[in-house]
C-alpha cells in the first residue's frame, strides 16, 4: 500500500495525514491558549473498562465520541481469483514532553518552562507519535474467519540534554494495547461485505480516573486506509441502485468510510466505486482532497487557510516564541507563515474550480447584476412547484437528498420532515429552499437567526396537497434578542453545507 497510496493516490495520503493531526494544535498554536488545553477529540479509543464504567457505549458513526472500539463495514467487488485486501491502521500515541531543570547535584526536577543560556524557552507539553500497522490479506483467508493482529505501541522514554547543562527534556510514552480484526462475508457473486474492527485491549489502572489520566493508553485520531488487488470498494454515499439494500446493512461505529483517490472524470454510470477507501472519525465526502493551493497543514481543516495564515502573521513576537516552544509542529507553522512568498499567499485568496456557461436571464427580467434584477422576488412568500404542489414558506416537506453529489451531512437527513422557511433564486438560475428540520431541538433558534439547511426542489417531497402553502406557524415568543437579530434568512449560511 505504501507505493499505491503514496505515489498513485497522493490526494488520499494528504487527506489521511490531515485526519491524523486534525485538532492536534489550533490557532494561536500556544500552550497557554484555552483551546489547546482540551485536545484529542477525534477517533479516541480508550481502555474498555474506563469507557464503560457507567455502562455500554452507544454505537454511532460520530468519531468525536469516546469509545473502546472502531468498526468499518463496506462493500467489496472482486474481479479475480487472486484478490487481496490491503489494510493500514493509523493512530497517534500520546507522548508527554517534560522539561526538567538541573539541580546541580546530578538530579533533575520537573518544571513547566525553562529558559536556557541560548535564549530559547523550553515548555512541557503533550506531543504525539504516529503509529501504523499494515496488513495484506488474501480474500480466501478473510472468508475463512479473517485474521486478528496486534496494532499496539510500546512504552518508551527518550532523554535530551539541554544546552550548558541547564537540564534535560524527557519524552515518555505509556504502552498502548490494541488489536485489529479483518474479515469478510459473501453477499452474492463477486460481492462481499468487508469488516475492519480495531479495539483498545488494554485496561485502565483506575477506571474512575479523569480522561486526561488514561489518554496515554489510548489510540488517538484512529483511522483506516484500504486498498487491494483485483478489488474495488462501493460508495456508501452513492451506491449502485442494486446494492442499496446491502449498503444499508453495513454497520459502522465511530467512523465512516468514503471513497478515496481522485474523483472520476465523469459521473456517468450507476453509483460510485474506487480502488481506495478511507474510514475516518471525521465525516467526509467521497474522494476528499486537500486544496492544491494549501502550502501545509494548519491542523484545522475546517477553517480557511488564508484566514489562519493572516492571523498567525499578526501574532506578536512573544506569542510566536511561545508557539515555537510549545511543539515542533507549531514551530514549523510559524516559520512557514513568516517566510511565505507573496505568490503563495495570493493563491490562498481563492480560486475557481470549474467554469460553466452563465444561464440567460428569464425573459423580461434583468440579469442579476443589473439594477432591479431582484425585483418581484420575496423569499418568504415566493413559491415553487414540487410534484404538482406549490411549496413555499410554511410548507411541510419530507427531505429526499439526491443520491449522487449530495452533501454528506444532508444524507443523514434522509426521510426527515421539515418546514420550509424561504425560497431563494440563485444567481445561476437555480432554486434552493431553506428548511428547518422538525425534530431538531434548535429549529426555532435556527429560524430566528436565519441558519438553515438548503435543498433543491427535486430533493423535497411535499406533505400537503396541491394549492397554497401552509400558513406559517404561530409567532415566536418575545424575548431579548442579540444586537444583530436575523429578521430574515441569511444567504450563504447553512448548517448543511460549508
Amino acid at each position: 500500500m505504501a507505493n499505491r497510496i503514496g505515489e498513485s493516490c497522493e490526494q488520499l495520503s494528504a487527506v489521511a495525514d490531515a485526519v491524523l493531526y486534525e485538532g492536534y494544535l489550533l490557532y494561536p498554536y500556544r500552550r497557554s491558549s484555552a483551546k489547546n488545553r482540551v485536545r484529542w477529540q477525534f477517533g479516541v479509543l480508550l481502555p474498555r473498562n474506563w469507557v464503560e464504567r457507567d455502562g455500554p457505549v452507544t454505537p454511532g458513526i460520530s468519531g468525536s465520541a469516546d469509545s473502546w472500539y472502531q468498526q468499518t463495514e463496506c462493500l467489496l467487488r472482486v474481479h479475480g481469483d487472486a484478490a487481496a485486501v490491503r489494510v493500514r491502521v493509523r493512530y497517534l500515541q500520546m507522548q508527554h514532553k517534560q522539561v526538567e531543570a538541573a539541580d546541580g547535584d546530578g538530579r533533575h526536577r520537573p518544571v513547566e518552562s525553562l529558559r536556557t543560556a541560548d535564549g530559547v524557552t523550553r515548555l512541557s507539553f503533550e506531543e504525539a507519535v504516529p503509529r501504523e500497522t499494515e496488513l495484506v490479506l488474501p480474500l480466501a483467508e478473510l472468508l475463512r474467519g479473517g485474521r486478528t493482529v496486534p496494532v499496539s505501541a510500546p512504552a518508551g522514554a527518550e532523554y535530551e540534554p539541554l544546552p550548558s547543562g541547564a537540564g534535560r527534556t524527557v519524552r515518555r510514552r505509556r504502552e498502548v494495547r490494541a488489536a485489529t480484526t479483518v474479515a469478510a462475508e459473501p453477499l452474492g457473486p463477486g460481492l462481499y461485505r468487508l469488516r475492519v474492527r480495531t479495539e483498545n485491549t488494554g485496561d485502565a489502572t483506575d477506571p474512575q480516573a479523569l480522561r486526561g489520566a488514561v489518554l496515554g493508553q489510548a489510540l488517538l485520531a484512529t483511522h483506516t486506509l484500504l486498498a487491494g488487488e483485483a478489488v474495488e470498494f462501493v460508495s456508501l454515499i452513492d451506491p449502485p441502485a442494486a446494492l442499496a439494500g446491502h449498503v444499508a446493512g453495513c454497520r459502522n461505529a465511530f467512523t465512516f468510510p468514503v471513497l478515496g483517490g481522485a474523483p472520476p472524470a465523469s459521473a456517468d454510470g450507476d453509483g460510485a466505486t474506487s480502488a481506495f477507501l478511507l474510514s475516518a472519525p471525521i465525516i467526509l465526502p467521497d474522494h476528499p482532497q486537500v486544496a492544491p493551493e494549501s502550502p501545509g497543514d494548519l491542523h484545522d481543516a475546517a477553517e480557511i487557510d488564508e484566514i489562519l495564515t493572516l492571523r498567525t502573521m499578526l501574532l506578536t513576537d512573544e506569542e510566536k516564541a511561545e508557539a515555537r516552544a510549545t511543539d515542533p509542529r507549531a514551530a514549523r507553522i510559524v516559520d512557514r507563515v513568516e517566510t511565505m512568498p507573496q505568490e503563495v499567499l495570493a493563491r490562498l485568496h481563492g480560486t475557481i474550480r470549474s467554469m460553466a456557461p452563465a444561464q440567460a436571464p428569464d425573459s423580461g427580467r434583468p440579469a442579476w447584476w443589473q439594477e432591479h434584477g431582484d425585483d418581484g422576488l420575496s423569499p418568504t412568500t415566493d413559491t415553487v412547484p414540487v410534484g404538482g404542489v406549490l411549496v413555499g414558506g410554511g410548507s411541510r416537506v419530507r427531505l429526499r437528498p439526491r443520491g449522487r453529489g449530495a452533501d454528506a451531512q444532508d444524507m443523514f437527513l434522509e426521510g426527515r420532515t421539515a418546514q420550509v422557511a424561504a425560497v431563494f433564486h440563485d444567481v445561476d438560475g437555480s432554486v434552493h429552499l431553506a428548511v428547518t428540520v422538525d425534530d431538531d431541538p434548535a429549529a426555532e433558534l435556527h429560524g430566528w437567526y436565519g441558519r438553515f439547511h438548503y435543498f433543491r426542489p427535486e430533493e423535497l417531497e411535499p406533505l400537503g396537497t396541491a394549492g397554497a402553502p401552509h400558513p406559517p406557524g404561530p409567532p415566536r415568543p418575545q424575548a431579548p434578542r442579540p444586537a444583530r437579530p436575523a429578521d430574515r434568512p441569511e444567504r450563504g449560511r447553512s448548517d448543511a453545507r460549508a
Side-chain angles (χ1 to χ4, degrees):
M1 177 181 284
N3 289 337
R4 297 194 66 186
I5 292 293
E7 297 174 9
S8 302
C9 202
E10 293 86 352
Q11 289 178 335
L12 182 58
S13 179
V15 172
D17 288 343
V19 169
L20 187 65
Y21 285 99
E22 177 66 11
Y24 176 78
L25 269 176
L26 299 175
Y27 170 86
Y29 307 111
R30 305 191 317 268
R31 185 188 67 169
S32 60
S33 175
K35 56 185 169 183
N36 286 323
R37 298 177 187 177
V38 182
R39 301 165 69 205
W40 323 118
Q41 301 298 319
F42 303 102
V44 180
L45 306 187
L46 294 145
R48 183 174 185 176
N49 66 331
W50 185 88
V51 174
E52 296 191 337
R53 65 193 186 280
D54 296 321
V57 297
T58 301
I61 63 171
S62 173
S64 61
D66 287 344
S67 176
W68 59 273
Y69 74 95
Q70 187 181 84
Q71 178 174 294
T72 298
E73 286 192 351
C74 60
L75 299 186
L76 193 67
R77 279 176 166 170
V78 175
H79 302 292
D81 296 335
V85 176
R86 297 172 178 265
V87 180
R88 180 182 291 179
V89 178
R90 308 174 80 217
Y91 62 91
L92 294 176
Q93 178 187 19
M94 195 172 77
Q95 174 174 269
H96 180 64
K97 179 183 69 172
Q98 179 65 61
V99 178
E100 297 182 351
D103 279 342
D105 56 358
R107 293 184 297 179
H108 297 81
R109 55 184 173 85
V111 295
E112 286 300 306
S113 65
L114 180 64
R115 188 176 180 85
T116 54
D118 57 0
V120 177
T121 299
R122 324 282 171 154
L123 298 178
S124 297
F125 194 61
E126 302 292 353
E127 301 175 334
V129 178
R131 302 296 187 188
E132 62 180 49
T133 301
E134 184 174 316
L135 314 173
V136 181
L137 303 169
L139 179 62
E141 180 181 351
L142 297 178
L143 295 174
R144 291 195 301 267
R147 188 193 302 180
T148 298
V149 298
V151 293
S152 304
E158 287 88 34
Y159 300 84
E160 176 188 351
L162 298 179
S164 304
R168 65 186 184 181
T169 299
V170 184
R171 290 177 167 86
R172 296 185 177 92
R173 298 174 300 279
R174 299 176 65 182
E175 181 185 16
V176 176
R177 297 181 180 179
T180 294
T181 300
V182 187
E185 60 175 314
L187 300 177
L191 181 66
Y192 303 86
R193 177 176 288 117
L194 180 69
R195 180 182 302 110
V196 181
R197 184 181 174 99
T198 298
E199 300 179 356
N200 187 317
T201 58
D203 287 318
T205 304
D206 179 9
Q208 301 303 318
L210 296 177
R211 184 176 186 264
V214 294
L215 280 172
Q217 297 177 262
L219 294 78
L220 310 172
T222 314
H223 61 282
T224 305
L225 291 168
L226 297 170
E229 304 294 337
V231 301
E232 63 177 357
F233 301 94
V234 176
S235 170
L236 270 63
I237 297 175
D238 181 21
L243 301 182
H246 292 307
V247 165
C250 292
R251 296 292 178 262
N252 289 283
F254 308 104
T255 188
F256 188 73
V258 297
L259 302 184
S266 173
D268 295 338
D270 178 21
T273 61
S274 176
F276 305 97
L277 186 139
L278 168 63
S279 186
I282 301 171
I283 297 175
L284 299 168
D286 279 337
H287 306 291
Q289 54 187 306
V290 175
E293 295 80 15
S294 179
D297 199 350
L298 294 166
H299 308 316
D300 191 358
E303 189 50 272
I304 300 172
D305 276 28
E306 184 184 31
I307 292 177
L308 289 179
T309 298
L310 293 174
R311 291 180 69 90
T312 303
M313 286 180 175
L314 294 176
L315 293 175
T316 65
D317 291 341
E318 292 77 12
E319 290 172 325
K320 290 178 180 178
E322 183 186 346
R324 288 189 173 98
T326 295
D327 188 271
R329 288 184 167 271
R332 287 196 290 271
I333 290 174
V334 174
D335 291 343
R336 185 175 70 240
V337 166
E338 286 193 330
T339 59
M340 184 176 292
Q342 184 61 36
E343 60 270 20
V344 175
L345 179 61
R347 287 202 299 267
L348 298 181
H349 188 63
T351 188
I352 298 175
R353 297 289 179 213
S354 62
M355 297 290 289
Q359 295 187 8
D362 293 337
S363 176
R365 178 180 293 279
W368 63 269
W369 63 84
Q370 296 175 333
E371 189 177 1
H372 307 300
D374 58 356
D375 285 357
L377 298 180
S378 174
T380 56
T381 60
D382 283 350
T383 60
V384 60
V386 179
V389 178
L390 288 178
V391 173
S395 297
R396 297 195 65 251
V397 295
R398 191 176 303 278
L399 306 178
R400 301 295 188 190
R402 62 190 186 278
R404 182 179 297 277
D407 186 282
Q409 295 187 43
D410 287 354
M411 300 298 292
F412 301 125
L413 300 178
E414 167 68 35
R416 304 271 283 277
T417 58
Q419 179 168 303
V420 176
V423 177
F424 290 114
H425 296 263
D426 295 340
V427 297
D428 62 0
S430 62
V431 175
H432 282 85
L433 292 89
V435 306
T436 55
V437 180
D438 286 344
D439 58 357
D440 183 351
E444 182 179 357
L445 186 62
H446 290 325
W448 205 352
Y449 281 87
R451 300 176 66 93
F452 301 109
H453 298 274
Y454 292 89
F455 291 88
R456 296 178 181 273
E458 60 269 23
E459 296 180 297
L460 303 179
E461 176 185 310
L463 294 180
T465 57
H470 298 291
R476 303 184 185 95
Q478 295 299 313
R481 293 192 182 189
R484 296 182 63 189
D487 294 322
R488 53 187 177 143
E490 286 185 54
R491 297 300 312 277
R493 296 189 59 185
S494 165
D495 292 330
R497 294 183 175 87

